[in-house]
Amino acid sequence: MFDTTLFRQFSDEMDRFFGDVGLKARMLPARVLARQGVWLPEIEVVTEGERLIVRADLPGVKPDEVKVEVTEDQIVLKGERKKIEEEKKEGYYRSERVYGAFERVIPLPEGAIYDGAKAVFTNGVLEVTVPIPPALTRKPKAIAIETKA
């Protein structure tokens, strides 16, 4: 299975390395990370009403290849993608295999009701919802932007 310690060490080292030159590891092209066995699925985090919603795009991943853990302060999504592409033509055969373990950690706001969390997997998209108290659903206030000559 997936060794989270190794992934965290790799992630920390990449952050340190790229932090020294003003970049972040997440800015590396996906193909570079994939060669190293790392795949970071795209996620979206939004609040709708009294729910925090995390959506993760997991193309090529089956629901039983994903693990979701929720604690009082975070959601952890982890698993592994295994994809094999084959092309057969007369006198020609091509096979490409893509593997990538992943782990995404999404912090929860203080007061989130983590024991009410639910996860649904539909058409390659994992959606995790966590109830949040009304006090955390405040609407942002727009402010004017001043310009100076």
Side-chain angles (χ1 to χ4, degrees):
M1 188 59 192
F2 182 69
D3 182 357
T4 58
T5 304
L6 180 62
F7 177 81
R8 283 195 181 115
Q9 288 173 343
F10 169 75
S11 180
D12 291 346
E13 288 296 321
M14 294 302 287
D15 281 345
R16 270 194 292 280
F17 174 76
F18 285 98
D20 290 343
V21 293
L23 300 172
K24 292 289 184 191
R26 66 178 167 263
M27 295 177 71
L28 285 172
R31 67 181 180 279
V32 172
L33 292 171
R35 278 188 221 124
Q36 297 176 16
V38 177
W39 173 58
L40 298 176
E42 297 289 326
I43 63 168
E44 171 186 49
V45 180
V46 296
T47 56
E48 291 180 6
E50 295 179 3
R51 303 178 308 152
L52 177 82
I53 302 171
V54 176
R55 292 183 186 100
D57 292 334
L58 302 171
V61 177
K62 298 175 187 162
D64 62 347
E65 296 172 333
V66 180
K67 185 175 181 181
V68 179
E69 297 173 348
V70 182
T71 65
E72 63 187 32
D73 61 350
Q74 67 185 15
I75 299 171
V76 179
L77 310 176
K78 55 185 163 182
E80 189 170 1
R81 175 176 66 167
K82 301 172 190 170
K83 182 179 174 185
I84 299 173
E85 293 180 13
E86 291 184 307
E87 183 179 355
K88 296 178 183 179
K89 293 183 181 178
E90 188 176 324
Y92 173 78
Y93 174 77
R94 181 186 68 85
S95 175
E96 188 170 329
R97 297 173 186 219
V98 179
Y99 297 95
F102 66 89
E103 180 176 295
R104 296 296 307 255
V105 178
I106 301 95
L108 288 175
E110 189 173 324
I113 307 165
Y114 72 98
D115 57 352
K118 295 183 181 187
V120 176
F121 196 97
T122 307
N123 296 327
V125 178
L126 174 66
E127 183 174 283
V128 180
T129 58
V130 180
I132 56 176
L136 297 178
T137 60
R138 292 185 219 134
K139 292 184 180 179
K141 176 185 171 189
I143 60 171
I145 300 172
E146 295 179 26
T147 58
K148 293 186 179 187

